[in-house]
Amino acid sequence: MSTITIEVVTDGNIEPCRVLCDELMAFQQSKAVMAPELFDMMNFDTRMRRSYDHALHTHVLIVKDDDVPVGYAFSTVSNVEQEDLGIPAWAPNQEQEGSKGFYPDWIETPQQIGFLSNLYLRDGYRSMGLGSKLFNMSMTWLESFPDVDLLFIYVSNGNEEALDFYIKQGFTYSHDVFGGFIKAVYRKKK
């Protein structure tokens, strides 16, 4: 019988998430209906490592089955400044009328914002309540910051199941990022 545990990374070693993050990027690419080729450049180093290294605060949870990583959740708190409100050069649909970046028009800067950046479980572990547990543990951590009043989650296009899950958890649709490449949902802190 296997033993499933959830560990909080406290020593800064997020390397056990490398393979899982790369699997998540491949999963998102398989679901994408818009610009799936952009996921070719997304991996642990370009997504998770970069976000981890640049965030004010980070929180990583790793699900293990007999000490083998099978899922993770990664959350951050970051400062959002005025210059962060634009659209990056790599983004699709930059010229599309009304295309927005990561943040809606009503964001006031500077501001600390919390993000659930990644939540992923391998097949076979998705119907065990682990996703909800990772989500709830991540929300508890994000909501522990008194200066963070706003939480965001970005869902890749085509991943309607994840979008529905977050909306059922009390998040509200905010806007299409880069003309629909990503869907943004938010929640004001309780």
Side-chain angles (χ1 to χ4, degrees):
M1 175 177 264
S2 66
T3 302
I4 295 178
T5 58
I6 298 176
E7 298 176 6
V8 179
V9 173
T10 58
D11 62 0
N13 180 16
I14 62 171
E15 199 60 34
C17 296
R18 177 176 292 278
V19 171
L20 295 168
C21 183
D22 290 345
E23 287 176 14
L24 172 60
M25 297 305 115
F27 176 79
Q28 290 175 333
Q29 185 174 38
S30 74
K31 294 274 192 182
V33 294
M34 178 186 291
E37 68 280 358
L38 287 180
F39 288 95
D40 289 340
M41 64 180 178
M42 296 183 195
N43 58 45
F44 174 83
D45 292 315
T46 62
R47 292 285 311 277
M48 186 172 180
R49 171 57 67 193
R50 182 177 292 159
S51 293
Y52 188 89
D53 290 345
H54 291 96
L56 291 174
H57 306 283
T58 58
H59 187 248
V60 177
L61 300 165
I62 302 175
V63 179
K64 293 184 177 179
D65 187 351
D66 287 336
D67 290 326
V68 175
V70 296
Y72 76 106
F74 168 49
S75 302
T76 63
V77 171
S78 295
N79 274 330
V80 174
E81 305 287 342
Q82 186 65 36
E83 60 268 14
D84 298 324
L85 301 182
I87 299 177
W90 60 264
N93 304 320
Q94 293 180 52
E95 307 304 321
Q96 181 178 329
E97 186 176 332
S99 188
K100 294 181 181 176
F102 287 106
Y103 306 101
D105 299 336
W106 50 264
I107 291 285
E108 294 180 26
T109 59
Q111 181 177 176
Q112 284 189 18
I113 297 178
F115 303 91
L116 175 55
S117 299
N118 298 154
L119 193 157
Y120 174 73
L121 291 162
R122 285 186 172 152
D123 278 339
Y125 296 91
R126 293 189 185 141
S127 297
M128 301 171 68
L130 291 167
S132 292
K133 187 160 183 119
L134 289 173
F135 174 83
N136 290 330
M137 291 173 74
S138 298
M139 291 300 109
T140 298
W141 180 81
L142 287 165
E143 290 175 352
S144 73
F145 290 87
D147 294 336
V148 174
D149 295 322
L150 190 58
L151 307 175
F152 267 92
I153 302 173
Y154 299 106
V155 180
S156 295
N157 75 88
N159 196 353
E160 298 305 316
E161 187 176 342
L163 183 64
D164 291 343
F165 173 80
Y166 295 128
I167 289 173
K168 286 177 185 170
Q169 301 303 315
F171 278 73
T172 301
Y173 170 79
S174 172
H175 66 287
D176 282 346
V177 178
F178 314 142
F181 181 67
I182 298 168
K183 300 218 180 276
V185 295
Y186 76 98
R187 182 168 87 192
K188 293 191 176 179
K189 197 164 93 175
K190 297 175 183 175

